[in-house]
Amino acid sequence: MSLMKKSLLYVLLVLSALFMMFPIVYAVMISFMQGGEVLQGKLLPSSFSFENYQSAFQQVPLLHFLMNSLIVSVTVTAGQLIVSSLAAFAFVFIKFRGRNTLFFLFISTMMIPWEATMVPNYLIVQKLGWINQYSSLTIPFFALAFGTFLLRQQFKTIPYELFEASQVAGISRFRFFWKVVLPVSKTSIITLAIYSFLTTWNMYLWPLLVTNNEKVRTVQIGLKQMQSQEVSSEWGIVMAAAVIVVLPTLILLFAGQKHLQKGLTQGAIK
């Protein structure tokens, strides 16, 4: 590639990056503005003050909502990793009648829209008395067909003869799973963990359905609550809260970008 073409490519990439990052940068700028400056359509604040960030924590129990989101996201991530990895191991290394049929039935659930299962799930949760409980926000999401499919594709790269040799040597299935399968599948597991955490952190509709007080409500509900309360005209405060909420996901996304890209690519080509 000539120097001219390479320079043009980099210019286009920089312009594209600026175009894509503009909403985030503008949101950060708004978080430092007063209400009048936002309504005037200014791009930059007259002064940089953390007053809006302090007000965001005072208007609603934002720290409590953040802790709830962290607890729910970490619990769902751990549950999905455990269930998906054990299910993928069974579909790859344990032979039983109807294994492939069961797997394809399991995978076919990915084609069912989540909204179609929302009402039955809500009725089950209500019958169990899990309304306003962490259990209603976490347990229904432990079984993830995508996670099982992703890890199964990775586990299939491990030679089955190695598993048979471990059985002859008297190594238990769980020890083989723990000592051999998981270490060589680290990239796919990290990918699934990042995907699960981000998906759960950004979840809005289900926490809104199964909670009706601030005890276990997540930060996405708190953000909507802040927008609809008396601070609705103070967009600087609302945007400061939005920046606080989105910050953990951005850090996790940038930190795990390589693992996420590599893991999803591996799952797609195997």
Side-chain angles (χ1 to χ4, degrees), residues 26-269:
Y26 188 51
V28 174
M29 293 297 107
I30 291 177
S31 69
F32 290 103
M33 294 182 189
Q34 300 302 317
E37 293 177 300
V38 179
L39 296 176
Q40 291 171 13
K42 290 186 176 180
L43 293 178
L44 295 174
S46 57
S47 63
F48 287 90
S49 169
F50 288 97
E51 183 181 347
N52 287 338
Y53 287 87
Q54 293 176 352
S55 300
F57 281 100
Q58 293 169 356
Q59 295 292 341
V60 294
L62 193 59
L63 189 60
H64 179 67
F65 290 145
L66 285 168
M67 285 303 300
N68 285 340
S69 284
L70 184 64
I71 292 171
V72 171
S73 299
V74 170
T75 305
V76 170
T77 301
Q80 288 185 352
L81 288 179
I82 293 171
V83 174
S84 298
S85 59
L86 289 174
F89 180 83
F91 281 126
V92 174
F93 292 104
I94 300 176
K95 293 183 177 178
F96 55 90
R97 179 179 291 183
R99 182 178 63 172
N100 291 332
T101 304
L102 182 62
F103 173 71
F104 287 115
L105 282 174
F106 187 68
I107 292 300
S108 66
T109 59
M110 292 172 64
M111 294 185 290
I112 301 174
W114 181 81
E115 288 78 6
T117 63
M118 187 171 57
V119 173
N121 284 338
Y122 177 79
L123 293 176
I124 293 173
V125 166
Q126 189 182 38
K127 287 283 185 184
L128 293 173
W130 287 356
I131 301 297
N132 290 322
Q133 301 289 332
Y134 284 119
S135 51
S136 63
L137 295 168
T138 55
I139 293 176
F141 299 96
F142 280 1
L144 181 67
F146 168 73
T148 303
F149 172 75
L150 181 71
L151 295 184
R152 176 182 176 269
Q153 298 303 99
Q154 170 62 33
F155 292 176
K156 285 182 71 176
T157 62
I158 302 171
Y160 190 79
E161 291 76 13
L162 188 62
F163 174 69
E164 291 179 326
S166 71
Q167 296 294 290
V168 173
I171 298 174
S172 67
R173 288 173 175 171
F174 184 77
R175 191 178 176 189
F176 179 79
F177 167 76
W178 187 258
K179 294 290 186 181
V180 178
V181 176
L182 292 186
V184 301
S185 307
K186 189 168 62 177
T187 299
S188 295
I189 291 172
I190 293 175
T191 301
L192 179 59
I194 295 172
Y195 173 83
S196 301
F197 187 91
L198 294 179
T199 305
T200 309
W201 183 274
N202 293 319
M203 197 162 47
Y204 174 75
L205 186 56
W206 181 254
L208 183 65
L209 281 175
V210 298
T211 61
N212 52 34
N213 59 41
E214 296 178 354
K215 180 184 173 186
V216 296
R217 275 195 162 171
T218 57
V219 75
Q220 307 294 342
I221 311 300
L223 193 60
K224 180 63 179 174
Q225 181 180 333
M226 174 180 286
Q227 184 186 354
S228 58
Q229 283 182 351
E230 68 274 6
V231 294
S232 59
S233 60
E234 295 290 343
W235 287 106
I237 299 175
V238 176
M239 204 56 71
V243 171
I244 294 170
V245 171
V246 81
L247 200 57
T249 60
L250 286 179
I251 293 173
L252 185 63
L253 191 61
F254 284 122
Q257 186 180 9
K258 288 185 178 178
H259 290 290
L260 190 62
Q261 184 179 5
K262 188 178 178 182
L264 290 176
T265 306
Q266 284 179 345
I269 62 177

